[in-house]
């Protein structure tokens, strides 16, 4: 039996995901949506990647509402899409990261001095941590699909990953912030949200382990971003690119 409090949680989860989608639209309007219909700076992989992620975000809006309205059977039927959509998103994230790396090298060759090989390796933090973290959160959500509490929390975590790319771009476009500053702000925002969720679960005597895991991955990603020019990261990124790109 779903209590009123639980129903409120599912409804608020959908509202929260809608707010994240709004942030994504804000961030991607200038570099992507405003280019419609020519999309001069986008590749087919980017189009597919964007469509897959938007489909995923819509899933994160619809699924909690189905639980809220006690459409559990339909929720489970639609949830099967996750087995297909999740791996496709993971593959698309990897391909987008690889494309970004090679476009960076092309830009360096055509504009020497304005963007360096070190810069190119530094921004790989964003693609690699997003790709790896989404894969882990998706895998955990699927592994705990029979544990509704853990499943929901890991699914929410996959949605939180959209804050960096979406809101980060919005901050850069609207407030003329640097990439480093904008993503630092969104990293802090992710950590604050995960921290609030941990506190909320702890106060309600719920299992806070999922959000502790989410917080840990966000923290590691934030630290890597702050040290993206370190010798450790530069060597790792170059080795990663040589092996996989």
């Amino acid at each position: 039996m779903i209590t009123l409090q639980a129903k409120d949680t599912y409804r608020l989860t959908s509202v929260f995901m809608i707010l994240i989608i709004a942030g994504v639209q804000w961030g991607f309007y200038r570099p992507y949506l405003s280019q419609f219909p020519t999309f001069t700076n986008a590749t087919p992989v980017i189009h597919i990647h964007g469509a897959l992620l938007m489909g995923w975000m819509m899933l994160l809006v619809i699924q909690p509402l189905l639980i809220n309205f006690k459409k559990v059977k339909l929720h489970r039927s639609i949830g099967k899409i996750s087995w297909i959509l999740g791996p496709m998103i993971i593959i698309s994230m990897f391909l987008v990261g690889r494309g970004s790396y090679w476009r960076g090298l092309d830009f360096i060759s055509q504009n020497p001095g304005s963007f360096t090989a070190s810069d190119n390796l530094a921004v790989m933090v964003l693609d690699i941590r997003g790709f790896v973290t989404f894969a882990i959160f998706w895998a955990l959500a699927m592994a705990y699909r029979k544990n509704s509490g853990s499943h929901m929390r890991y699914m929410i975590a996959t949605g939180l990953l959209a804050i960096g790319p979406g809101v980060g771009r919005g901050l850069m476009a609207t407030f003329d912030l640097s990439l480093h500053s904008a993503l630092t702000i969104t990293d802090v925002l992710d950590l604050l949200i995960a921290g609030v969720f941990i506190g909320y679960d702890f106060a309600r005597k719920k299992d806070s382990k999922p959000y502790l895991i989410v917080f840990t991955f966000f923290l590691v990603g934030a630290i890597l971003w702050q040290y993206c020019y370190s010798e450790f990261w530069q060597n790792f990124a170059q080795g990663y690119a040589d092996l996989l790109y």
Side-chain angles (χ1 to χ4, degrees), residues 19-226:
L19 291 175
I20 292 178
I21 290 173
V24 170
Q25 301 308 307
W26 170 48
F28 279 93
Y29 176 75
R30 184 177 295 180
Y32 183 72
L33 296 174
S34 65
Q35 296 181 14
F36 179 85
T38 57
F39 295 106
T40 54
N41 296 322
T43 65
V45 170
I46 290 176
H47 289 312
I48 294 171
H49 172 69
L52 290 172
L53 280 177
M54 188 50 59
W56 184 265
M57 294 303 296
M58 293 307 299
L59 198 65
L60 297 182
V61 172
I62 294 169
Q63 288 293 75
L65 287 178
L66 291 176
I67 294 295
N68 180 67
F69 291 112
K70 301 182 181 180
K71 303 294 183 181
V72 177
K73 188 174 181 180
L74 182 57
H75 170 90
R76 289 173 179 167
S77 297
I78 293 177
K80 293 176 181 178
I81 299 173
S82 302
W83 288 104
I84 300 172
L85 196 56
M88 290 178 68
I89 290 173
I90 293 168
I91 293 170
S92 75
M93 290 178 116
F94 172 78
L95 294 176
V96 166
R98 185 177 68 174
S100 177
Y101 172 77
W102 287 109
R103 284 194 300 276
L105 291 183
D106 288 341
F107 185 85
I108 290 169
S109 65
Q110 298 170 15
N111 304 270
S114 60
F115 186 72
T116 67
S118 182
D119 295 329
N120 203 32
L121 294 174
V123 297
M124 283 176 64
V125 167
L126 304 177
D127 293 315
I128 294 175
R129 74 179 191 180
F131 156 65
V132 172
T133 309
F134 181 90
I136 291 171
F137 291 168
W138 171 81
L140 288 170
M142 296 300 101
Y144 285 95
R145 63 191 181 280
K146 294 183 179 180
N147 181 327
S148 61
S150 295
H151 174 75
M152 179 185 71
R153 285 160 175 77
Y154 289 124
M155 290 294 281
I156 289 172
T158 64
L160 291 177
L161 291 172
I163 292 176
V167 176
R169 283 177 171 81
L171 291 173
M172 288 188 287
T174 305
F175 301 104
D176 197 29
L177 295 180
S178 68
L179 175 65
H180 189 270
S181 296
L183 270 295
T184 296
I185 291 172
T186 56
D187 280 350
V188 172
L189 181 58
D190 282 334
L191 290 169
L192 285 174
I193 292 172
V196 168
F197 287 167
I198 291 170
Y200 183 68
D201 279 345
F202 184 80
R204 295 172 62 226
K205 294 182 171 57
K206 298 292 184 180
D207 182 13
S208 58
K209 181 180 177 181
Y211 282 134
L212 281 170
I213 292 173
V214 170
F215 183 91
T216 299
F217 277 102
F218 280 145
L219 180 60
V220 171
I223 291 171
L224 288 174
W225 179 235
Q226 295 305 311

